[in-house]
Every structure is written in C-alpha cells, then in structure tokens.
Amino acid sequence: QKEVEQNSGPLSVPEGAIASLNCTYSDRVSQSFFWYRQYSGKSPELIMSIYSNGDKEDGRFTAQLNKASQYVSLLIRDSQPSDSATYLCAVNYGGSQGNLIFGKGTKLSVKP
Amino acid sequence: SAVISQKPSRDICQRGTSLTIQCQVDSQVTMMFWYRQQPGQSLTLIATANQGSEATYESGFVIDKFPISRPNLTFSTLTVSNLSPEDSSIYLCSVERGPGNTIYFGEGSWLTVV
C-alpha cells in the first residue's frame, strides 16, 4: 500500500515567520513530488514540484527532497495571512500517468 | 498550466438520483483524470479517461456507479449514479501537463446528497 503521510496540523505561525510543512512517503520508486495549496472551498492549486534530491526555490517557497529518507518538505518564508490554507503533498510513483497519491494535507494558519 | 472548466460548480441532489459533471479543457489532451475529495479527506483518483476508449477505473470504483464519457480531446463527463449521502464530495477533473506528470485541477464540483 503506497502511502503519503502529513501532519494534519493545524500549524500556526506568526506573520513573517517561516512555515515548515513535512511529508513522508512509503515507496522508494517514487519519481515526482508536488505541493498543492487548497484554500477553503477551492480546488487544489499547484505551487511546487520537485524531482531530484536537494532544494528547489521559487519566490518565498522552497521544496526540499531527500529520497534516501523518503521525505519531502515545503518551507514558506515571510509567511503571510494569505498563505493560510491546507497544503497537500502528492507523490507520483511512476505508475499510470496522473495517478498521484495525496496526503491528507496540513492546515496552515498564519496569524497577523 | 491549463484552463479547466467544470460544471456544475455546486449542486444539491436527492438520494437515488444521478449527477453528471462536465469538464472542458482549453486545449487537446490525451488523458483526463477524475478525482474525488470526501469531506476532511485527501484526493483519490477515480478513473482515467482516454479519448476513444473506455475509462480505466481505480480499485474501489466501478463503471456502473461512475460512468465516464470522453467524446473528444477537450471534454469529458463523469456521472455519479444512484446517489447516496456518502457520495457527498468534491469531484475534480484534472489533466496532465509538463514534466514529471504534473496534474492541474479544474475548479471542482461540490456535490451534496440529501
């Protein structure tokens, strides 16, 4: 059974702080890793993808991948109240295209 | 990214009836995917819809309950049949674009069964 695990939260951080979101996955053959943001009442929106070990930065977002530890994280620098949302980690295990395994999401709350 | 439009955006349906959700993409795609997100749960893939062939269903999902059409390369429908309260979910159409099998989602269809 392929699984993606996330801490459900809620994770509360003050405005301007760094928010750290973590995700672990169960299968070593995983190839592609994604972070989606989902605002309440909205569909998931892709914010980051990462395919190789190390860090990938895009604006205030940094994704970190460690395949040996089967661990992927998302850092949000200078957190803003508008970052308050549920963050979904998704893993493609290289099977049928489009078959992402999603974690249950971490709810982030950024307090002004 | 992709522009993916879904209809209806929300609906309240009586148990025992059916609801058909439409998905329109802004450009041709080989495969379209239907996901479900039950309240408080993660997203689960229902099926993959290829144009010109029958949809491929994931474990736990059957064609009788979730018939899918894919008449052309930009459009698909998902029907949720014989509705029960357990079918109350968000249903999401998605397509794959770019490297790494990146999935982009439509706006979603919020279904409440009463």
Side-chain angles (χ1 to χ4, degrees), chain A residues 65-106:
Chain A
L65 175 61
N66 184 326
K67 289 189 176 181
S69 301
Q70 297 174 228
Y71 175 89
V72 58
S73 65
L74 179 70
L75 300 178
I76 306 175
R77 291 182 299 280
D78 188 23
S79 295
Q80 301 297 310
S82 60
D83 295 325
S84 298
T86 297
Y87 289 81
L88 302 169
C89 174
V91 176
N92 184 297
Y93 286 92
S96 59
Q97 290 175 302
N99 193 355
L100 295 182
I101 308 296
F102 282 84
K104 291 187 176 181
T106 298

Side-chain angles (χ1 to χ4, degrees), chain B residues 32-98:
Chain B
M32 296 174 73
F33 309 94
W34 288 99
Y35 280 81
R36 180 177 74 180
Q37 187 177 29
Q38 294 177 300
Q41 299 298 312
S42 188
L43 283 79
T44 302
L45 180 66
I46 298 172
T48 301
N50 293 328
Q51 194 271 334
S53 64
E54 287 196 1
T56 302
Y57 289 84
E58 298 299 312
S59 176
F61 298 96
V62 296
I63 188 171
D64 289 347
K65 176 68 175 177
F66 298 99
I68 288 172
S69 77
R70 183 78 200 275
N72 59 53
L73 291 172
T74 63
F75 187 80
S76 178
T77 67
L78 169 73
T79 298
V80 189
S81 304
N82 190 24
L83 290 167
S84 68
E86 292 72 33
D87 296 319
S88 298
S89 296
I90 307 169
Y91 292 87
L92 294 150
C93 173
S94 64
V95 301
E96 180 188 271
R97 290 264 173 90

Side-chain angles (χ1 to χ4, degrees), chain A residues 28-112:
Chain A
R28 289 187 177 272
V29 302
S30 306
Q31 298 180 353
S32 307
F33 307 86
F34 306 91
W35 284 99
Y36 289 84
R37 177 175 62 199
Q38 187 173 25
Y39 292 113
S40 180
K42 300 292 186 181
S43 67
E45 171 193 13
L46 179 71
I47 54 172
M48 288 287 284
S49 60
I50 188 166
Y51 312 112
S52 55
N53 279 328
D55 294 0
K56 179 181 178 182
E57 186 175 320
D58 184 0
R60 295 187 296 111
F61 299 97
T62 299
Q64 299 175 319
L65 175 61
N66 184 326
K67 289 189 176 181
S69 301
Q70 297 174 228
Y71 175 89
V72 58
S73 65
L74 179 70
L75 300 178
I76 306 175
R77 291 182 299 280
D78 188 23
S79 295
Q80 301 297 310
S82 60
D83 295 325
S84 298
T86 297
Y87 289 81
L88 302 169
C89 174
V91 176
N92 184 297
Y93 286 92
S96 59
Q97 290 175 302
N99 193 355
L100 295 182
I101 308 296
F102 282 84
K104 291 187 176 181
T106 298
K107 186 170 185 178
L108 173 66
S109 177
V110 181
K111 304 294 187 183

Side-chain angles (χ1 to χ4, degrees), chain B residues 4-9 21-23 34 91-93 106-109:
Chain B
I4 307 169
S5 302
Q6 283 187 234
K7 292 181 181 179
S9 57
I21 302 167
Q22 300 179 2
C23 179
W34 288 99
Y91 292 87
L92 294 150
C93 173
E107 308 112 326
S109 298

